[in-house]
Amino acid sequence: MSSMTIGKLSAATRVKVTTIRYYESIGLLDEPDRSASGQRLYGDTAVERLGFIRHARDLGFPVPAIRELISLQVEPSWDCAVVDQIARRQLGEVRRRLTQLEALEAELKRMITACEGGKIACCSVLAALGHHEQCLHEEHAGKEVLAARPSN
Amino acid sequence: MSSMTIGKLSAATRVKVTTIRYYESIGLLDEPDRSASGQRLYGDTAVERLGFIRHARDLGFPVPAIRELISLQVEPSWDCAVVDQIARRQLGEVRRRLTQLEALEAELKRMITACEGGKIACCSVLAALGHHEQCLHEEHAGKEVLAARPSN
DNA sequence: TCTACAGTCTACAGTAACTGTAGAGGCAAG
DNA sequence: CTTGCCTCTACAGTTACTGTAGACTGTAGA
Ligand SMILES: [Zn+2]
Ligand SMILES: [Zn+2]
Ligand SMILES: [Zn+2]
Ligand SMILES: [Zn+2]
């Protein structure tokens, strides 16, 4: 029987040890068996489950959506429309952010090319930041545009 | 001399009242004068400053970068290369995020079109989430170690 | 066996950039 | 004077983790 400590599981899935414990604390991972001294021991199903979670997180699925996907997996005879809808919702979210980011890229590019060097007093980057009236995008309603998930 | 309460400033800049107080607490906005009863009173410079902050935030600049831009504004005779570098860094960040999101969009689209409806037991969205071999995005390339048989 | 050192444990605090809430007091209209 | 909205402070909650302290455990080399 293969049983691995949390460090091995971490190496196998490239999920940090602290993150694994965090997933357990929020109920994404089941509580594993423990050794006599209290260390967590995982089997192969934990590797699978954690790989699933990591892939979904990498695709930007929020934790509640992943929780839902996991709970659906134990009902193989149900219709998969629910699963597909979660994925489509996530695709919509990704596309919405893409559109936003394209607008931001356009304005940043415009700002930067407008500046031809010189003194701060006449820097068109600062000018553009100060005057929103001339923006290419009338509404960049993006709060967490970049906050989504920094690379790791 | 025009002086406005925090609510008017909020309406003028479309920044929420609580957010304005938050910006003050982290030192992005100067502490304003107060009325006899202790309410904040703002002048026109606050509108300008807050508009600048909002625009920069909308473009995804992190708060420390904005703090730097503001501190540079009071040195009009300096060279604007620093400003431009901050903007270019932000542009790079936006482009990096764009590339990532494009990969995510591609994989989500692929997952969803692969599913032709049916039962959860054979939903290819769930299958794709569980198996990384066919990933389009390089972020989890080289994870064939995880290829294990789905138990149910 | 001793010892060094890496791994693991719990519990809690910190991150970014806010948002929400409670409970108290302020201000203008009717 | 009352109604109703505005503002105040202080603090907790959000998301998905990450980092730290301080103690214990497991293991490999001398
Ligand atoms: Zn410039
Ligand atoms: Zn703009
Ligand atoms: Zn399906
Ligand atoms: Zn993938």
Side-chain angles (χ1 to χ4, degrees):
Chain A
M1 9 259 291
S2 79
S3 89
M4 56 206 322
T5 64
I6 198 169
K8 309 287 172 141
L9 179 62
S10 169
T13 57
R14 294 180 197 174
V15 176
K16 291 188 177 140
V17 168
T18 46
T19 306
I20 296 174
R21 286 197 278 251
Y22 167 71
Y23 284 158
E24 182 186 327
S25 80
I26 62 170
L28 264 194
L29 284 176
D30 296 337
E31 294 184 17
D33 294 338
R34 301 283 185 128
S35 73
S37 62
Q39 300 198 348
R40 291 170 178 81
L41 294 178
Y42 297 94
D44 292 338
T45 61
V47 179
E48 240 177 85
R49 160 71 58 92
L50 189 49
F52 181 92
I53 293 170
R54 188 177 110 88
H55 197 187
R57 284 295 302 129
D58 282 347
L59 287 167
F61 286 85
V63 166
I66 298 175
R67 206 190 299 276
E68 206 176 345
L69 289 172
I70 288 174
S71 79
L72 287 169
Q73 279 178 303
V74 300
E75 307 283 1
S77 65
W78 287 11
D79 199 281
C80 76
V82 193
V83 171
D84 301 1
Q85 207 211 330
I86 293 172
R88 253 186 282 271
R89 188 199 312 149
Q90 179 59 21
L91 178 58
E93 192 61 26
V94 166
R95 285 188 168 146
R96 198 181 59 76
R97 273 187 273 161
L98 265 176
T99 308
Q100 264 181 3
L101 278 179
E102 276 156 8
L104 301 197
E105 191 206 5
E107 184 170 359
L108 282 168
K109 211 161 54 184
R110 182 177 65 83
M111 273 166 54
I112 290 168
T113 53
C115 171
E116 290 160 333
K119 301 301 176 190
I120 279 182
C122 57
C123 176
S124 49
V125 170
L126 284 177
L129 282 172
H131 301 290
H132 200 170
E133 304 82 43
Q134 319 154 353
C135 283
L136 300 175
H137 46 75
E138 201 38 51
E139 53 102 22
H140 27 73
K143 289 182 292 190
E144 20 88 61
V145 180
L146 287 176
R149 195 156 125 91
S151 65
N152 67 331
Chain B
M1 48 211 271
S2 79
S3 90
M4 55 208 321
T5 64
I6 199 170
K8 310 285 174 160
L9 178 62
S10 169
T13 56
R14 278 167 287 170
V15 176
K16 291 191 178 140
V17 167
T18 46
T19 306
I20 295 174
R21 286 196 280 249
Y22 168 71
Y23 284 157
E24 182 187 326
S25 80
I26 63 171
L28 264 195
L29 284 176
D30 297 336
E31 294 184 15
D33 295 336
R34 302 283 186 130
S35 73
S37 61
Q39 300 198 348
R40 291 169 178 82
L41 294 178
Y42 297 94
D44 291 339
T45 62
V47 179
E48 241 176 83
R49 161 71 57 94
L50 190 48
F52 181 92
I53 293 170
R54 187 177 104 90
H55 197 187
R57 283 296 302 129
D58 282 348
L59 287 167
F61 286 85
V63 165
I66 298 175
R67 207 188 301 274
E68 206 176 346
L69 288 172
I70 287 174
S71 79
L72 287 170
Q73 278 178 304
V74 300
E75 308 284 1
S77 65
W78 286 11
D79 199 281
C80 77
V82 193
V83 170
D84 300 2
Q85 208 210 331
I86 293 173
R88 252 186 283 271
R89 188 201 310 151
Q90 179 59 22
L91 178 58
E93 193 61 28
V94 165
R95 284 188 170 147
R96 200 182 55 74
R97 196 77 189 112
L98 264 176
T99 307
Q100 241 183 14
L101 277 180
E102 275 157 8
L104 301 197
E105 192 207 4
E107 184 169 359
L108 281 168
K109 210 161 55 183
R110 182 177 65 81
M111 273 166 52
I112 290 169
T113 53
C115 170
E116 290 160 331
K119 301 301 176 188
I120 279 181
C122 55
C123 177
S124 49
V125 170
L126 285 176
L129 281 172
H131 301 290
H132 308 245
E133 306 87 48
Q134 316 155 354
C135 282
L136 298 177
H137 53 283
E138 68 287 349
E139 217 165 295
H140 17 250
K143 296 189 58 186
E144 64 284 350
V145 186
L146 290 180
R149 189 196 64 88
S151 51
N152 47 1

